[in-house]
Amino acid sequence: MNKFTSLFAAVQKNFAREFWRHPATSSFLDRWSFPVYYQVRFMEIAAPLEEAMGLPLRKSAESGSDGKFQLEISMITWNAILRCWSPDVCLPELVHRFWKLSLLLISRYTSWLDKLKIDGSSLVTLPEVLSDIAIFQKLILQLPSGYVRPVLESDGKDVAGILPVLSGKHGELAVRSTC
């Protein structure tokens, strides 16, 4: 909303003040609920992953390419994390919750990997699983600067103090937990 009002404030000096004082804006904000919005997005993002984890292990449609996930579940997990940081999903006011959801998705994937059993009847081999883990680790390291930072900066926030925390020890913990 701040970005919206700043666009019009350049044209009309009193726009931002009038916009925020307008009864329609107040009525809308009274009905808007960040916790409800987040819960809806949480279900939208996490449900397909949980469903996929209950299905038999399958190779990804793009599994032949270098640098691509070999397993469908790895691709679904990464796409769920990316969805958290999509500009049409993540609101700057909810960055902390989407960061927590990203960590939850990583943890869920790690738990799923821990329970994974590969036997002779499986269509998936250990090298494919290890390849996906390596790709996942590289992508996770890009998460703070490549995906979280743009969301924070889009709201005009100074992220200089936050990024070292995101990409420091906390980021290393997330990567270590996937090993």
Side-chain angles (χ1 to χ4, degrees):
M1 286 281 225
N2 290 336
K3 191 184 267 187
F4 173 74
T5 57
S6 67
L7 289 172
F8 286 99
V11 177
Q12 184 181 358
K13 293 185 181 198
N14 295 327
F15 176 80
R17 186 184 53 194
E18 292 173 20
F19 175 79
W20 290 110
R21 288 184 180 173
H22 196 276
T25 304
S26 297
S27 174
F28 173 76
L29 292 175
D30 287 342
R31 291 186 205 149
W32 180 257
S33 172
F34 286 123
V36 171
Y37 173 83
Y38 172 76
Q39 192 62 33
V40 168
R41 293 300 191 172
F42 177 94
M43 293 304 297
E44 174 187 288
I45 292 167
L49 177 61
E50 285 299 320
E51 182 181 326
M53 287 181 172
L55 298 174
L57 196 56
R58 295 188 299 225
K59 290 186 181 185
S60 169
E62 301 174 6
S63 65
S65 309
D66 282 341
K68 300 283 185 178
F69 287 115
Q70 303 295 310
L71 305 175
E72 186 178 54
I73 192 70
S74 301
M75 189 172 59
I76 290 170
T77 303
W78 182 247
N79 286 338
I81 292 168
L82 290 181
R83 185 81 177 125
C84 291
W85 302 104
S86 171
D88 62 327
V89 171
C90 188
L91 302 173
E93 294 82 1
L94 295 174
V95 164
H96 64 289
R97 288 189 181 204
F98 283 106
W99 179 251
K100 185 176 179 180
L101 176 55
S102 296
L103 296 176
L104 179 67
L105 294 168
I106 293 166
S107 175
R108 185 68 183 99
Y109 179 69
T110 303
S111 297
W112 180 85
L113 284 171
D114 287 342
K115 294 176 186 171
L116 182 64
K117 291 182 174 69
I118 300 174
D119 56 20
S121 65
S122 176
L123 296 174
V124 176
T125 63
L126 185 59
E128 291 167 325
V129 173
L130 294 176
S131 170
D132 276 11
I133 292 171
I135 293 168
F136 206 84
Q137 287 177 332
K138 287 178 188 172
L139 292 173
I140 295 253
L141 291 175
Q142 298 170 6
L143 193 60
S145 61
Y147 300 96
V148 179
R149 182 182 198 148
V151 172
L152 293 171
E153 289 176 338
S154 73
D155 195 37
K157 301 242 187 305
D158 178 24
V159 296
I162 297 171
L163 283 179
V165 173
L166 292 178
S167 56
K169 291 181 181 176
H170 300 288
E172 291 171 12
L173 289 175
V175 171
R176 281 191 205 138
S177 69
T178 61
C179 295

